[in-house]
């Protein structure tokens, strides 16, 4: 047989690849397609809520009215019609701005990558919540940062350049920052000369009740205007229209947006022209009613999960009570390991979730896990949480009795 000499590619990769790693849990999560598994792992939008008819009509209209432009290259900053709509929405949310303050990106994920590229040099410190969105770590890692836990009670450590936060209905914690924490972060950022990256991925999915002001709105109010702000707001249509459109945006001072446009150009030239036309059309009418539908559907699922947790979790387990979004964060008794529990749950109970540890950039808390209620039905939520509760109770020993009911 011929000998095959395989090149040692790792020798040739750039040093930055030492920071880029596949997630350990990815292999386990590949098993989730099996039909008898009830999965709380996904964290993706419920496809039944996609505005399919309106997207279909908008594609037809874009091709019929302006087909040649729809299929053509377009400007890197994004189509003026869509940027204009976003600028008006950011203005209404308390951050008065114009279209030059908006860059359209390929989802908010690309916004995080471009922001990393613009601001981070190897060894710079990024301040993150514990836990944080692991996709943001994936975006920043290629720029070789260090991470430190964001501490609102202390001055930012030296070398800190950027604070990344998900202040509304967070992935993964489900938590929403109260106003005083938002104000405190702005103060810390001013003192430490930090860039604030506000990830608003779930901001539109509040279940009702008073929304907290966006960080960028508080920043604009303090600093006197968008051009003096140090917050970059990352928005997305992934959770409200469809993630497959791959459309998100950054809102921030022109000096930053101008540089991000150059990086966007170098990366992929521009976001899909036809998808931008479709999004601009779909949001132009009936968008508020559509959002209300999403909010009430996710609220119902969230309530089903809260009820199931109360019914089936053993004493000693606690969980977050999100006021929006798609996630509940569960804290297990000391000594539990979410990854081991997942393995056991897949094998014995056919129920899945994401273990908590990968959501930590520093000091992982292994006795935690993330549940998403976006996909399963209310019945499956109850049954899945019953199985999860049983698996946890079985590992708690006789000392802690499972709650009756
Ligand atoms: C907090 C957060 N930010 C950003 C993203 C990226 O989404 P997209 O690139 O589709 O806008 C996600 C996706 O799950 C998310 O949960």
């Amino acid at each position: 047989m011929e000998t095959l000499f395989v090149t040692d590619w790792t020798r040739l990769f750039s040093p930055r690849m030492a920071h880029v790693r596949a997630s350990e849990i990815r292999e386990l999560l590949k098993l989730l397609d099996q039909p008898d598994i009830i999965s709380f792992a996904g964290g993706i939008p419920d496809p039944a809520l996609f505005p399919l008819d309106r997207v279909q009509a908008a594609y037809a209209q874009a091709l019929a009215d302006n087909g040649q432009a729809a299929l053509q290259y377009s400007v890197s900053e994004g189509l003026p019609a869509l940027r204009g709509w976003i600028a008006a929405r950011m203005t209404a949310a308390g951050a008065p701005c114009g279209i030059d303050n908006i860059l359209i990106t390929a989802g908010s994920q690309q916004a995080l990558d471009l922001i990393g590229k613009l601001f981070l040099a190897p060894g710079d410190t990024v301040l993150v919540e514990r836990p944080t969105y692991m996709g943001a770590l994936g975006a920043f890692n290629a720029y070789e940062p260090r991470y430190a836990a964001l501490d609102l009670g202390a001055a930012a450590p030296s070398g800190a350049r950027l604070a990344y936060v998900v202040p509304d209905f967070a992935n993964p914690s489900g938590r929403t920052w109260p106003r005083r924490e938002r104000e405190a972060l702005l103060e810390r950022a001013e003192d430490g000369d930090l860039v604030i990256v506000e990830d608003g991925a779930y901001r539109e999915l509040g279940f009702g009740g008073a929304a907290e002001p966006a960080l960028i709105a508080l920043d604009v109010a303090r600093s006197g205007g968008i051009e003096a702000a140090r917050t970059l707001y990352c928005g997305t249509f992934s959770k409200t229209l469809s993630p497959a459109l791959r459309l998100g945006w950054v809102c921030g001072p022109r000096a930053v947006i101008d540089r991000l446009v150059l990086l966007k150009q170098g990366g992929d030239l521009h976001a899909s022209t036809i998808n931008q036309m479709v999004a601009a059309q779909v949001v132009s009418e009936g968008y508020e009613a559509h959002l209300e539908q999403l909010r009430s559907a996710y609220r119902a699922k969230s309530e089903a999960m809260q009820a199931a947790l109360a019914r089936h979790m053993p004493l000693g387990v606690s969980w977050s009570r999100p006021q929006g979004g798609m996630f509940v964060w569960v804290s297990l008794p000391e000594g539990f390991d979410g990854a081991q529990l997942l393995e056991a749950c897949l094998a014995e109970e056919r129920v899945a979730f994401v273990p908590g540890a990968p959501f930590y950039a520093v000091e992982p808390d292994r006795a935690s896990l993330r549940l998403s209620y976006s996909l399963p039905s209310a019945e499956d939520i109850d049954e899945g949480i019953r199985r999860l509760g049983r698996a946890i109770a079985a590992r708690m020993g006789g000392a802690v009795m499972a709650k009756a009911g």
Side-chain angles (χ1 to χ4, degrees):
M1 223 171 79
E2 226 178 302
T3 312
L4 189 64
F5 291 100
V6 178
T7 307
D8 175 10
W9 286 104
T10 50
R11 195 171 42 83
L12 300 172
F13 292 153
S14 86
R16 82 175 64 90
M17 288 310 291
H19 300 254
V20 178
R21 283 202 195 91
S23 134
E24 308 147 21
I25 56 162
R26 197 177 282 189
E27 290 306 309
L28 274 179
L29 296 180
K30 275 186 193 157
L31 303 169
L32 300 190
D33 286 341
Q34 299 167 18
D36 63 326
I37 290 186
I38 297 178
S39 177
F40 302 121
I44 58 180
D46 182 349
L49 299 170
F50 292 151
L52 196 53
D53 293 348
R54 291 165 60 202
V55 170
Q56 190 175 17
Y59 273 109
Q61 187 181 335
L63 290 168
D65 293 356
N66 211 355
Q68 292 186 344
L71 298 181
Q72 191 53 281
Y73 287 112
S74 52
V75 291
S76 297
E77 44 270 59
L79 298 188
L82 187 59
R83 289 160 68 216
W85 182 89
I86 293 167
R89 198 152 180 99
M90 295 302 304
T91 299
C97 64
I99 72 167
D100 291 339
N101 299 111
I102 308 293
L103 164 67
I104 306 293
T105 55
S108 48
Q109 191 65 32
Q110 185 184 43
L112 300 174
D113 176 56
L114 297 179
I115 288 168
K117 201 176 246 182
L118 180 58
F119 290 103
L120 297 177
D124 282 347
T125 297
V126 177
L127 303 178
V128 290
E129 296 167 88
R130 293 184 62 255
T132 188
Y133 168 53
M134 69 168 107
L137 305 177
F140 297 146
N141 281 346
Y143 305 105
E144 305 174 69
R146 299 170 210 271
Y147 294 99
L150 180 62
D151 178 357
L152 296 178
S158 71
R161 172 144 305 242
L162 194 145
Y164 166 76
V165 294
V166 190
D168 295 290
F169 326 123
N171 179 6
S173 68
R175 185 168 184 270
T176 296
W177 288 39
R179 181 165 179 153
R180 74 189 137 69
E181 288 183 16
R182 296 172 192 243
E183 301 275 11
L185 174 59
L186 288 167
E187 242 158 70
R188 286 279 163 242
E190 212 169 287
D191 294 347
D193 199 18
L194 300 177
V195 177
I196 297 176
V197 180
E198 177 178 25
D199 185 334
Y202 300 90
R203 188 167 166 80
E204 300 278 21
L205 296 184
F207 299 153
E212 295 292 348
L215 278 167
I216 195 168
L218 294 173
D219 191 349
V220 164
R222 281 167 70 102
S223 63
I226 186 88
E227 301 307 338
R230 55 174 63 249
T231 303
L232 307 175
Y233 181 94
C234 301
T236 181
F237 290 110
S238 290
K239 319 297 175 182
T240 53
L241 295 183
S242 147
L245 292 173
R246 304 310 303 134
L247 290 175
W249 68 90
V250 186
C251 175
R254 240 175 318 174
V256 174
I257 297 297
D258 287 352
R259 298 308 186 288
L260 290 174
V261 171
L262 297 178
L263 295 175
K264 168 85 181 157
Q265 194 165 36
D268 64 353
L269 300 182
H270 62 79
S272 156
T273 311
I274 189 167
N275 288 2
Q276 291 184 71
M277 288 180 173
V278 163
Q281 175 60 33
V282 172
V283 296
S284 69
E285 36 176 292
Y287 189 56
E288 282 309 324
H290 170 67
L291 288 181
E292 274 310 315
Q293 257 184 344
L294 297 184
R295 291 170 185 142
S296 70
Y298 288 127
R299 181 171 49 222
K301 288 187 180 223
S302 167
E303 284 168 1
M305 181 162 273
Q306 291 294 321
L309 286 162
R311 204 174 300 134
H312 301 303
M313 279 299 137
L315 288 173
V317 176
S318 59
W319 56 89
S320 62
R321 289 168 177 74
Q323 299 306 306
M326 302 178 176
F327 304 102
V328 173
W329 187 252
V330 176
S331 298
L332 302 167
E334 228 183 286
F336 266 82
D337 181 320
Q340 282 173 7
L341 184 66
L342 173 61
E343 243 172 291
C345 278
L346 283 172
E348 295 161 21
E349 295 284 2
R350 313 302 279 161
V351 65
F353 51 82
V354 183
F359 294 102
Y360 290 86
V362 285
E363 299 165 47
D365 173 1
R366 298 189 182 283
S368 59
L369 53 94
R370 188 195 75 177
L371 301 174
S372 170
Y373 45 80
S374 61
L375 286 181
S377 65
E379 298 76 52
D380 278 355
I381 288 174
D382 190 66
E383 172 59 17
I385 296 298
R386 190 178 69 82
R387 297 182 194 178
L388 176 60
R390 188 165 61 192
I392 295 171
R395 280 157 187 78
M396 286 173 80
V400 187
M401 298 294 290
K403 264 201 290 189

